[in-house]
Amino acid sequence: MKLAVLAGDGIGKEVTREAVNVLERVSNLFDIDVRIEQFEIGAEAIKANGSPLPERTLEGCLESDAVLLGAVGSPEFDDLLPEDRPEIGLLNLRKHLGGFANLRPAKSHPSLVNSSPLRPEIFEGTDLLIVRELLGGIYFGEPRGFSEDRRRAFNTLTYSAFEIERVARIAFDIARDRKKKLTSVDKANVLESSRLWRETVNNVAAEYPDVELEHLFVDACAMHLVTDPNRFDVILTGNLFGDILSDEAAVLTGSLGMLASATIGGKVDLYEPVHGSAPDIAGKNQANPLGAIECAAMCLAQTANKRQASEAIQTGVQKVLSEGYRTVDLITNADDVKVTTEEMGELVGRYATESANFTHAHRAV
Ligand code: IPM
Ligand code: MN
């Protein structure tokens, strides 16, 4: 597997370093040939090359099987227009890679129930996955811009039936392999694009009679996520609603730093933690690398089709948490053992390889 690593801005460097270390240790153990190359993106790339997505980066990504991205965004560029900001590098990269289905799983870890802002009895057992449409909607709709006097600004929320169908099929397929429940989220009481979304999802549902489908308005979904997250299995939604709901779902698990995402359906798969560049803690060896490490696990399962190696990483993460190791964002009580970004990565790598060795040894017997 050829993997392009784009560490990007802020804590992106620290968390991807740990993810790559864990990935290399586990791949070595399982004899998986992973070739890693690093490229620049975002604010870093603007400073070095004048572009948030240099040509070399894009070419390197298009020649790879998968891309692992850290984070993009920096307050230095806050005053710039969207088209000049670091974020446009990521949006253009997504467009070129072509993946339109962004999978964001949020799961309750038994040893982290006290880190959730929700009461344990409400959050315990939650296991949901958001399928966010990633290449359409208001993020990319035209026309967009400012009026000449800059007293007005506009964006376009547009979806075609084709764009809705293809992401809906992915969501239904995933629901079929899980608890067979799909919640489609829209704002069909107000928006035409949402009416089409709902009709199209209903049409696709005819191909999946075994999957239970419900529709929710996005405001109601935001509420149910905090009152009864256990009611969800797979949530399907558009680009902007998915962006918002996934931060909400992420933080329920204990910290925004915990969540990974995989973007599929295009030429090259893209893996990104859901958290941002967190400039306030960048360079302090404090960031939670587990979201990025979970990306490495998703990449092994999805792109490389190496389930055992992927599970070894997940076992490593579980073990680290159940032993009480916490980066600062996860600390809730006096027994927690505070660790740095690097220590967390090292521990996951160690436990992941130990668990794999143990499984191997048992198989041999
Ligand atoms: C995310 C991020 C991005 C998005 C930004 C950095 C462009 O918030 O992946 O959720 O809005 O898609
Ligand atoms: Mn976001």
Side-chain angles (χ1 to χ4, degrees), residues 1-4 23-37 64-66 299-300 303-306 309:
M1 176 172 67
K2 265 180 93 171
L3 180 67
L23 182 68
E24 285 184 330
R25 282 171 81 164
V26 170
S27 317
N28 280 340
L29 195 68
F30 282 87
D31 272 330
I32 304 167
D33 182 15
V34 181
R35 283 173 219 175
I36 290 172
E37 225 185 312
S64 302
D65 299 299
C299 177
L300 281 173
T303 303
N305 202 15
K306 301 287 182 190

Side-chain angles (χ1 to χ4, degrees), residues 72 87 90-91 94 104 132 134 139 239 243 246-247 272-274:
V72 159
E87 286 83 351
L90 173 56
L91 296 174
R94 287 177 179 166
R104 300 189 158 187
R132 169 188 177 194
L134 203 66
Y139 270 58
N239 207 343
D243 179 47
S246 61
D247 266 31
E272 333 168 35
V274 170

Side-chain angles (χ1 to χ4, degrees), residues 199-211:
E199 281 164 31
T200 310
V201 172
N202 278 334
N203 292 340
V204 175
E207 299 163 30
Y208 298 85
D210 53 322
V211 176

